[in-house]
């Protein structure tokens, strides 16, 4: 287990049990996907992580909470996600890792364009993309070295590879897709996927 996430942290991490149980039941009923309760998390906005969800049904991330990234006005993120991203980028740069961006916030119409163009295995249906929350990013050129660094460090900054380990997702594994969920929810995610993450780290270290 990561030095950042100790066993006692996992014990403290489980919250929102009743809501996660309800979301697990709804996911099975609406999508036919059985997701264990412990694999479902709640992020700092109150939005679920780890299951298909219509992220446009509630204003979890209001527009006034978004800000343009200084280096590129095309990109927008929730201000807390942006602050954490900058801190993580600075740490990564010191260790020779570049965390450049390909994508951040997406509107419903742009997600529809991508879904129509790329298909359901490369883009979520419009309304169901985590990018609608302005807390998800797609990173540039994520090779094995960069993915290994992220798996070792990003949880401490509150970021999780939410699609890479999600149960029964039609979306292919995406090492470049990371979502800011807040530090507590990131601990929950790391604990829930401990064996899978550690196995992935081990495989990447062998390459």
């Amino acid at each position: 287990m990561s030095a950042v996430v100790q066993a006692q942290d996992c014990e403290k991490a489980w919250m929102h049990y009743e809501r996660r149980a309800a979301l697990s039941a709804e996911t099975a009923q609406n999508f036919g996907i059985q997701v264990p309760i412990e694999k479902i998390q709640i992020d700092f906005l109150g939005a679920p992580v780890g299951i298909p969800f219509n992220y446009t049904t509630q204003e979890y991330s209001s527009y006034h909470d978004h800000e343009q990234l200084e280096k590129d006005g095309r990109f927008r993120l929730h201000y807390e996600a942006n602050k954490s991203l900058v801190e993580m980028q600075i740490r990564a740069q010191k260790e020779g890792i570049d965390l450049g961006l390909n994508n951040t916030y997406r509107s419903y119409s742009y997600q529809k364009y991508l879904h129509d163009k790329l298909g359901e295995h490369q883009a979520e249906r419009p309304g169901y993309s985590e990018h609608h929350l302005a807390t998800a990013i797609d990173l540039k050129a994520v090779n094995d070295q960069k993915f290994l660094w992220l798996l070792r460090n990003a949880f401490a900054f509150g970021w999780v590879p939410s699609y890479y380990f999600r149960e029964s997702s039609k979306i292919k594994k995406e090492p470049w897709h990371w979502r800011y969920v807040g530090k507590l929810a990131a601990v929950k995610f790391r604990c829930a996927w401990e064996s899978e993450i550690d196995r992935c780290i081990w495989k990447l270290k062998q390459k």
Side-chain angles (χ1 to χ4, degrees):
M1 181 178 287
S2 166
V4 175
V5 182
Q6 303 295 333
Q8 59 267 30
D9 295 321
C10 292
E11 303 228 344
K12 295 175 183 176
W14 306 116
M15 300 169 62
H16 309 287
Y17 179 84
E18 291 184 357
R19 183 165 180 227
R20 290 188 293 111
L23 285 166
S24 179
E26 290 171 16
T27 302
Q29 179 178 349
N30 297 335
F31 296 92
I33 300 173
Q34 301 289 336
V35 182
I37 296 171
E38 65 271 15
K39 300 291 189 182
I40 300 173
Q41 311 305 327
I42 306 296
D43 77 357
F44 79 112
L45 295 171
V49 188
I51 56 172
F53 186 76
N54 188 341
Y55 289 102
T56 62
T57 58
Q58 298 187 44
E59 290 296 324
Y60 288 109
S61 183
S62 301
Y63 191 83
H64 66 264
D65 289 332
H66 301 178
E67 59 186 19
Q68 287 188 338
L69 278 63
E70 293 181 3
K71 292 183 179 180
D72 195 326
R74 295 177 302 157
F75 296 142
R76 265 194 305 127
L77 279 175
H78 187 283
Y79 69 91
E80 287 193 32
N82 189 25
K83 179 182 177 182
S84 177
L85 175 63
V86 170
E87 292 173 354
M88 186 167 67
Q89 286 174 322
I90 292 172
R91 167 78 70 78
Q93 195 67 47
K94 290 179 179 178
E95 299 180 23
I97 300 294
D98 177 36
L99 298 182
L101 298 176
N102 265 335
N103 208 250
T104 55
Y105 168 80
R106 291 181 194 159
S107 66
Y108 184 97
S109 59
Y110 185 58
Q111 187 66 30
K112 184 178 186 305
Y113 163 77
L114 288 178
H115 183 266
D116 292 346
K117 178 182 178 181
L118 302 175
E120 63 181 6
H121 294 292
Q122 295 189 59
E124 287 278 18
R125 286 179 290 165
Y128 286 80
S129 173
E130 294 181 343
H131 287 279
H132 295 322
L133 291 172
T135 54
I137 58 175
D138 287 344
L139 294 166
K140 289 181 179 178
V142 178
N143 56 19
D144 290 342
Q145 179 188 15
K146 188 179 294 188
F147 191 39
L148 178 59
W149 188 94
L150 287 161
L151 288 175
R152 284 172 160 172
N153 296 278
F155 298 98
F157 291 92
W159 293 85
V160 302
S162 49
Y163 282 174
Y164 197 86
F165 296 106
R166 198 172 81 180
E167 297 274 359
S168 304
S169 175
K170 289 183 179 180
I171 303 296
K172 66 179 183 180
K173 290 183 180 295
E174 296 186 346
W176 58 84
H177 179 93
W178 288 75
R179 173 175 165 184
Y180 179 74
V181 296
K183 291 183 179 180
L184 178 59
V187 170
K188 299 177 190 178
F189 188 98
R190 182 66 175 80
C191 294
W193 297 99
E194 177 185 348
S195 61
E196 292 89 342
I197 293 169
D198 287 347
R199 189 180 306 117
C200 189
I201 289 174
W202 183 85
K203 287 181 179 179
L204 290 169
K205 287 168 63 178
Q206 309 311 307
K207 294 184 177 181

